[in-house]
Amino acid sequence: MRRRTPPPPAPLPQRDGVDPVRVRLPYGGAWATVREHLVERLTGAGPGTVEGMFHAGLIVGADGLAVAPDAPYEPGMFVWFHRELPAEVPVPFPVEVVHRDAHIVVADKPHFLATTPRGTHVTETALARLRRELGIPALTAAHRLDRLTAGLVLFTVRPEERGAYQNLFRDRRVHKEYEAVAPYDPALVLPRTVRSRIVKERGVQAAREVEGEPNAETHVELAGHRSGLGRYRLLPATGQTHQLRVHLNSLGVPILGDPLYPEVTGPVPADDFRQPLQLLARRLEFTDPVTGVEHTFVSERVLHAWTS
């Protein structure tokens, strides 16, 4: 078995808080040059884009020097470049820093802001913003919230410590509490624990529940109700994609402002921030795996469907 060579450090600096793209040339294939492989691999970049990047010297090797358009293909070689990104609509809400020390940053993320760069949301993400605003280029996310969900997110300052904090979530050693506003159903018996099997297929917007061994568990409590609305306290034991949204929908009380459950609605314009999903990551509690400190963090954000 061929041993994987660890990637060298990126020779390009971040741009607007976003890392350069790193590509490792695969073993096998019949490409004569690096350019031939990248033209075939990066078909979404558009005709002539990759050739233009080569001629402009924008694709570099581990030494930071531009890779020539006729450079021979070398299996296992790493190259880097920055994507040319279209302008993103600014999300007009701040990322509040709840806690910062030498090891972690805990941020209170607003609705509509993605946690990390992905798809069409790159510079307008909590990670990119915090890297720029705090001056911490090495900042990384230990977990993620959906773009439409607001609340607490844990980031790590030192790359070598990231795994220890990620393992907290993997091993279910983080106590997480969420809050949601959804219709009130007096016939719904609460509290209760919902267990089901949730699958999320690549390219499909909504997740769904299927038969089989449960992989998702949420404890649901009613914290209050008025005017036909309920305020729900959600305690997830697992972290499947859209788990809380799926489970409340399965109980017949879909979260207000949800564009996917119970039905996928038409796309919302990128600059329309009027109806945020009424879901908030309210509380995080864990023992710091590096310092041993017992942490408890609480979001100060409010769900306006309940307070207005």
Side-chain angles (χ1 to χ4, degrees):
M1 179 181 294
R2 182 180 292 112
R3 299 178 64 183
R4 291 185 65 87
T5 303
L12 295 175
Q14 292 176 353
R15 181 185 294 174
D16 294 326
V18 179
D19 293 321
V21 176
R22 183 186 73 220
V23 174
R24 186 173 190 262
L25 307 187
Y27 290 87
W31 304 283
T33 65
V34 178
R35 180 186 59 80
E36 285 182 12
H37 172 69
L38 292 184
V39 167
E40 180 178 318
R41 183 167 179 167
L42 305 176
T43 54
T49 301
V50 174
E51 289 90 340
M53 293 173 67
F54 270 102
H55 287 291
L58 300 179
I59 298 176
V60 306
D63 56 5
L65 300 178
V67 178
D70 60 351
Y73 186 89
E74 298 180 20
M77 175 183 178
F78 291 95
V79 297
W80 288 261
F81 57 89
H82 279 289
R83 289 184 290 170
E84 293 301 323
L85 302 168
E88 297 177 47
V89 175
V91 177
F93 312 111
V95 181
E96 304 290 350
V97 174
V98 174
H99 173 84
R100 177 183 179 181
D101 62 32
H103 307 280
I104 61 173
V105 171
V106 179
D108 203 349
K109 184 185 82 67
H111 296 286
F112 301 107
L113 189 70
T115 301
T116 57
R118 189 175 186 182
T120 58
H121 306 283
V122 181
T123 59
E124 278 298 300
T125 59
L127 179 61
R129 277 199 194 178
L130 290 171
R131 283 174 170 176
R132 298 192 300 263
E133 294 170 5
L134 302 181
I136 309 176
L139 195 71
T140 54
H143 70 122
R144 292 189 306 190
L145 292 181
D146 291 343
R147 184 178 69 88
L148 300 182
T149 303
L152 300 175
V153 185
L154 175 64
F155 297 87
T156 62
V157 173
R158 299 174 177 175
E160 66 272 18
E161 296 174 350
R162 183 188 185 195
Y165 290 98
Q166 286 181 314
N167 289 344
L168 290 175
F169 294 90
R170 182 198 67 186
D171 299 336
R172 304 181 186 180
R173 290 183 284 133
V174 179
H175 176 73
K176 298 180 289 184
E177 294 184 18
Y178 288 73
E179 182 179 313
V181 178
Y184 171 64
D185 180 0
L188 179 62
V189 179
L190 295 176
R192 70 165 65 185
T193 298
V194 182
R195 297 181 180 88
S196 69
R197 184 166 190 83
I198 295 176
V199 297
K200 174 69 168 65
E201 298 169 355
R202 190 177 184 87
V204 179
Q205 287 183 288
R208 59 192 177 92
E209 293 179 298
V210 299
E211 296 293 330
E213 183 71 21
N215 63 359
E217 178 180 319
T218 307
H219 184 73
V220 182
E221 300 176 0
L222 181 66
H225 68 89
R226 64 167 180 254
S227 303
L229 295 180
R231 180 167 166 254
Y232 297 90
R233 182 170 176 255
L234 310 173
L235 307 176
T238 55
Q240 296 297 322
T241 300
H242 298 177
Q243 175 178 318
L244 303 180
R245 298 161 68 178
V246 169
H247 278 170
L248 278 193
N249 182 59
S250 72
L251 294 177
V253 287
I255 299 174
L256 267 61
D258 197 326
L260 298 182
Y261 309 97
E263 295 181 355
V264 177
T265 61
V268 177
D271 59 351
D272 186 346
F273 305 106
R274 293 174 298 174
Q275 295 185 352
L277 176 70
Q278 295 299 286
L279 180 61
L280 173 66
R282 173 67 72 190
R283 190 179 189 96
L284 279 180
E285 295 181 7
F286 59 91
T287 301
D288 194 301
V290 176
T291 66
V293 173
E294 298 287 339
H295 288 302
T296 297
F297 303 111
V298 180
S299 170
E300 295 297 325
R301 296 188 184 275
V302 297
L303 294 175
H304 294 292
W306 184 253
T307 59
S308 62

